Amino acid sequence: MASKSINIFDILNKKSDGSELEDEEIQWFVKEASKVTNSAINDSQIGAMLMAIKLNKMTPREAASLTKSMTFSGTVLQWPEEWQNILVDKHSTGGVGDKVSLVLAPALAVFGLKVPMISGRGLGHTGGTLDKLESIEGFQVQQSEERIREIVEQIGCCIVGQTKNIAPCDKKLYAIRDVTATVNTSILSKKAAAGIKTLVMEMTYGEGALIKTRQLSEELAREIVKFLFIHIFLITHTIDVGKELGMNIIAAMTKMVSPIGKTIGNAIEVLEAVDTLNGKGPKDLIDVVCKLGACLLQSTNIAKCFEEAEKMMRSTLNDNSAAEKFRLMIIKQGVDAKLASQLMKDPREVLKLASRKTEIKSNSNGIVNVIRGLPLAKVLREHHAGRFSVEDQLDYKVGIEILKDEGDKIEKGWLFKV
């Protein structure tokens, strides 16, 4: 029997009516969406497809099929067999002041875990992980697949951009950030293509996050995994889409109204990350890093229990072992060795921060009730710390340093330094 002819019009009509797509139809869509030229579908049709998915959802089988098709639309990184239980990564749905990855990846590498972290750029109020790292002179986010393998083998971690061969379909889908129903598929396909075996997903919600309510964040988490509540973290070994990809997925819920840490920007967030690696970071940032890291240490059986794992993570920030991994990583990714050492000793002298500073003061006595990160980040975007469109160029020097904590008393004192 001859195979039926597949076209985008039938697929769109089918999904728009709420019908379930066949594996062959999903595979065809991913194949055509991955093409740079001569594709049978255009970007507007891809957008229509994603909107149909958002409105009518996907069945678990469809989601697994789409994710697997996206994963294998390009190269899947191959690692030594003995690494299969130690390949880990973290992904966050994002928020203001999120520099967690910069600290977490090298801290995990201290314990022998392998962290080939494929990160993204920011399209919103502040830059993404790659934008932050590019504020370090010489740092190269684009690395070949061979070079990624070399860095991970020698150092234990890298933080790189997606190569053109890794999950190419993801690049088009990920650009449509507002279609939240496709975020899980995009994230998982990219992580699976990197060969990850255990993934911790930080599901952020609140005014300072991309997902505004806990309900929506939980719904997204349920599309990725089935989970149980353990304090503020959701830990699972029962996996839907992840199981199909051979990944153990851990989901963690984090409320985000205030920024993570005390800085917002690009270079200034690297400064705070370096301070944290040297044991001098803000408590909230250290807590998030150590709890997410503890999930991975426990899941890979490096630690016997969560409490032990959290203590192990904190130790890497106190004894400078995570800082040393970060220094070696950035050297491998293009930073001059002398400059890298100087950065770890005195980041304010190395990073190019804004020379013009404005101190914003309170004009009355009182108590800081809440620090809302989103309005601050929107101000920074107007000054080119973030993007309105993919083509926008960032000014890495622009940033805000928050000088007070929630609950602090103020006597006509400083609040922010811009």
Side-chain angles (χ1 to χ4, degrees):
M1 181 184 294
S3 60
K4 66 177 181 180
S5 176
I6 301 174
N7 63 76
I8 189 61
F9 304 105
D10 289 343
I11 290 176
L12 283 174
N13 286 331
K14 195 172 180 180
K15 199 63 206 169
S16 296
D17 290 339
S19 300
E20 188 172 350
L21 297 177
E22 300 293 334
D23 288 343
E24 292 79 5
E25 293 170 320
I26 292 170
Q27 291 162 8
W28 181 89
F29 172 78
V30 169
K31 179 181 177 181
E32 294 301 322
S34 302
K35 291 180 179 179
V36 177
T37 59
N38 300 321
S39 175
I41 56 179
N42 58 44
D43 288 354
S44 63
Q45 290 169 326
I46 293 173
M49 175 68 165
L50 297 182
M51 183 55 68
I53 292 171
K54 176 175 180 175
L55 295 174
N56 295 312
K57 307 298 183 185
M58 301 188 89
T59 66
R61 184 201 61 77
E62 284 180 301
S65 180
L66 178 59
T67 307
K68 288 175 71 174
S69 296
M70 288 174 62
T71 298
F72 295 102
S73 65
T75 299
V76 176
L77 295 181
Q78 301 297 315
W79 305 103
E81 184 63 31
E82 59 269 25
W83 289 10
Q84 293 308 299
N85 293 325
I86 58 173
L87 285 159
V88 303
D89 200 355
K90 162 261 181 188
H91 185 85
S92 172
T93 49
V96 177
D98 187 356
K99 71 280 293 179
V100 171
S101 294
L102 279 64
V103 183
L104 180 62
L108 291 170
V110 170
F111 299 104
L113 292 176
K114 302 299 183 182
V115 194
M117 189 175 284
I118 298 177
S119 297
R121 299 190 180 278
L123 181 57
H125 32 264
T126 56
T129 298
L130 299 183
D131 299 308
K132 295 173 180 35
L133 286 168
E134 283 187 328
S135 68
I136 305 173
E137 183 180 342
F139 190 91
Q140 299 295 320
V141 300
Q142 292 305 136
Q143 302 288 337
S144 68
E145 289 145 31
E146 292 74 18
R147 183 64 172 166
I148 291 172
R149 293 187 187 95
E150 179 185 330
I151 296 170
V152 173
E153 181 175 1
Q154 295 180 7
I155 310 302
C157 63
C158 66
I159 304 177
V160 298
Q162 187 175 354
T163 73
K164 65 179 181 179
N165 296 322
I166 294 177
C169 183
D170 166 76
K171 293 181 180 180
K172 288 188 180 180
L173 302 195
Y174 194 69
I176 307 176
R177 298 285 294 258
D178 292 334
V179 187
T180 56
T182 64
V183 168
N184 57 331
T185 298
S186 178
I187 293 165
L188 293 181
S189 64
K190 188 159 49 182
K191 298 303 182 183
I196 300 305
K197 297 304 178 184
T198 303
L199 175 69
V200 61
M201 291 211 41
E202 185 188 21
M203 312 299 296
T204 58
Y205 68 95
E207 184 187 66
L210 290 174
I211 301 171
K212 300 306 179 187
T213 68
R214 184 182 180 107
Q215 180 181 352
L216 287 174
S217 189
E218 288 181 3
E219 286 176 3
L220 178 58
R222 287 190 180 97
E223 290 182 9
I224 302 170
V225 294
K226 296 176 180 177
F227 53 85
L228 356 136
F229 283 87
I230 298 183
H231 191 38
I232 63 167
F233 281 82
L234 312 175
I235 299 179
T236 181
H237 294 284
T238 306
I239 304 160
D240 290 333
V241 176
K243 185 176 181 180
E244 293 290 327
L245 297 168
M247 279 196 295
N248 176 31
I249 303 175
I250 305 162
M253 302 291 294
T254 303
K255 185 176 182 179
M256 189 174 291
V257 176
S258 303
I260 299 176
K262 299 178 76 66
T263 62
I264 312 170
N266 291 292
I268 199 168
E269 288 192 38
V270 173
L271 185 154
E272 187 170 45
V274 171
D275 283 345
T276 304
L277 287 162
N278 286 325
K280 299 179 290 186
K283 181 181 182 301
D284 63 334
L285 176 57
I286 292 173
D287 285 348
V288 171
V289 168
C290 291
K291 289 182 186 297
L292 293 177
C295 289
L296 291 169
L297 291 180
Q298 184 183 9
S299 293
T300 52
N301 297 317
I302 289 176
K304 295 178 181 178
C305 64
F306 188 86
E307 291 74 19
E308 178 190 16
E310 194 171 2
K311 288 179 182 177
M312 291 168 66
M313 287 295 298
R314 291 183 188 278
S315 72
T316 69
L317 306 181
N318 294 326
D319 64 12
N320 293 110
S321 56
E324 177 61 9
K325 283 289 185 182
F326 183 82
R327 186 185 73 85
L328 294 172
M329 181 190 77
I330 64 175
I331 291 171
K332 284 291 184 181
Q333 291 192 231
V335 178
D336 176 77
K338 184 177 179 181
L339 185 71
S341 296
Q342 291 174 338
L343 173 68
M344 304 313 294
K345 292 178 181 177
D346 192 352
R348 289 185 181 273
E349 287 297 315
V350 174
L351 294 167
K352 295 178 181 178
L353 303 175
S355 57
R356 179 183 173 186
K357 297 179 176 64
T358 301
E359 293 165 349
I360 300 174
K361 301 181 180 182
S362 170
N363 57 11
S364 63
N365 298 338
I367 296 175
V368 179
N369 182 40
V370 64
I371 298 173
R372 297 174 60 206
L374 185 58
L376 296 174
K378 286 182 175 179
V379 170
L380 288 183
R381 182 168 63 172
E382 295 288 344
H383 294 275
H384 309 292
R387 294 183 177 88
F388 287 96
S389 67
V390 176
E391 295 78 18
D392 288 350
Q393 297 298 309
L394 298 185
D395 185 343
Y396 298 128
K397 300 187 295 295
V398 175
I400 289 178
E401 183 178 6
I402 301 167
L403 304 176
K404 295 290 182 180
D405 291 320
E406 291 180 359
D408 282 357
K409 291 182 179 180
I410 293 179
E411 296 178 358
K412 294 186 178 182
W414 293 343
L415 282 173
F416 308 109
K417 189 179 291 183
V418 184

